[in-house]
Amino acid sequence: MTIYLIRHGESKANELNLFLGHGDLDLTDRGYAQARKTAQYLRTLKVDAIYSSDLLRAYHTAKESSKLLNLPVIKDARLREIDCGEWDFMPFDELKVKFKDTFDVWLTDVGNAKCDGGESVKQVQERMVNALTDIANKNQEKTVLVFSHATAIRCFAGFCTGKGAHGVKDIPWANNASVTKIEYLDGKFNLIEYGKDDFMGDIGTGLPNNV
């Protein structure tokens, strides 16, 4: 079966350069426009099901595809962004000061990072693997869309390429509303294409360099 793993469109936290985990901010106007662009790109696929993180920025990105494909969005909290604890809603520049040691690990060796009062990247990878394995097993020989978040997608790509949590640092951030294609065959996930967003035109956005 085939999974298209999609990052949410630009959120209000992205616009303000805030670190956002389980904090629930919506998309910006540009984020909604990105979501519509992605929906147009995906509409030619024969999609059987749509899954999404229950956080607004992912769910509202998924809804744009839901409208075109006439499929419901199935929410799954395991597809959420990392629970970043005390880092939630903090500007990146403040994180460098207030949580210097732990945020330095995030910047230099993200696979071994743990947010103060929140999850580790390894924990995110484990729950994403569990969630996507369940989704794959429920949708054998089908095509599904899965809407999630930057760290979660990066973690899962690390798993698919055999890098584990330690190798997540070698995976780049996927841009907003980009599409990652994964195939599931004989119990194994294979990364086919990562972070495709060339259909976005001049409204594409990604994470800043200080993340």
Side-chain angles (χ1 to χ4, degrees):
M1 59 90 65
T2 303
I3 295 170
Y4 289 90
L5 187 55
I6 302 117
R7 187 181 167 209
H8 61 79
E10 182 187 66
S11 72
K12 293 177 180 177
N14 295 147
E15 184 179 51
L16 297 170
N17 281 340
L18 305 179
F19 200 111
L20 194 66
H22 287 190
D24 209 9
L25 295 180
D26 202 354
L27 300 172
T28 62
D29 289 343
R30 179 161 54 181
Y32 275 102
Q34 291 171 341
R36 290 190 291 272
K37 282 267 193 180
T38 300
Q40 288 289 342
Y41 171 72
L42 296 169
R43 72 179 304 174
T44 59
L45 301 176
K46 186 183 178 302
V47 176
D48 299 287
I50 301 175
Y51 292 81
S52 177
S53 157
D54 59 341
L55 297 175
L56 287 175
R57 56 198 188 273
Y59 179 68
H60 285 166
T61 304
K63 287 292 287 182
E64 295 300 327
S65 288
S66 171
K67 293 173 190 175
L68 290 185
L69 297 169
N70 196 30
L71 288 169
V73 179
I74 303 166
K75 294 182 182 180
D76 189 331
R78 294 176 298 174
L79 300 170
R80 284 185 172 195
E81 182 56 286
I82 190 169
D83 176 359
C84 62
E86 297 177 59
W87 299 8
D88 230 353
F89 298 102
M90 287 194 67
F92 295 116
D93 288 342
E94 288 185 25
L95 279 170
K96 291 180 181 179
V97 177
K98 188 170 183 180
F99 298 104
K100 183 181 185 307
D101 292 342
T102 47
F103 194 61
D104 276 351
V105 177
W106 177 273
L107 293 175
T108 60
D109 189 13
V110 66
N112 288 312
K114 183 179 187 300
C115 303
D116 293 85
E119 284 182 298
S120 67
V121 168
K122 184 176 181 180
Q123 287 173 312
V124 177
Q125 188 175 69
E126 288 170 351
R127 65 171 162 82
M128 282 293 289
V129 171
N130 288 337
L132 286 163
T133 299
D134 285 350
I135 289 169
N137 288 331
K138 289 175 183 174
N139 294 276
Q140 291 289 337
E141 299 183 17
K142 294 181 179 180
T143 296
V144 301
L145 307 182
V146 177
F147 291 80
S148 189
H149 305 262
T151 309
I153 293 169
R154 192 180 185 190
C155 284
F156 192 68
F159 172 79
C160 291
T161 54
K163 297 177 182 295
H166 178 71
V168 172
K169 67 180 184 299
D170 300 324
I171 305 290
W173 294 110
N175 287 338
N176 289 113
S178 63
V179 178
T180 292
K181 183 179 180 180
I182 294 160
E183 290 184 352
Y184 184 70
L185 181 65
D186 297 329
K188 179 176 171 57
F189 291 102
N190 298 293
L191 182 65
I192 306 302
E193 187 171 38
Y194 183 79
K196 180 179 177 63
D197 71 340
D198 54 0
F199 51 83
M200 201 61 64
D202 60 358
I203 63 168
T205 54
L207 286 167
N209 294 329
N210 61 340
V211 181

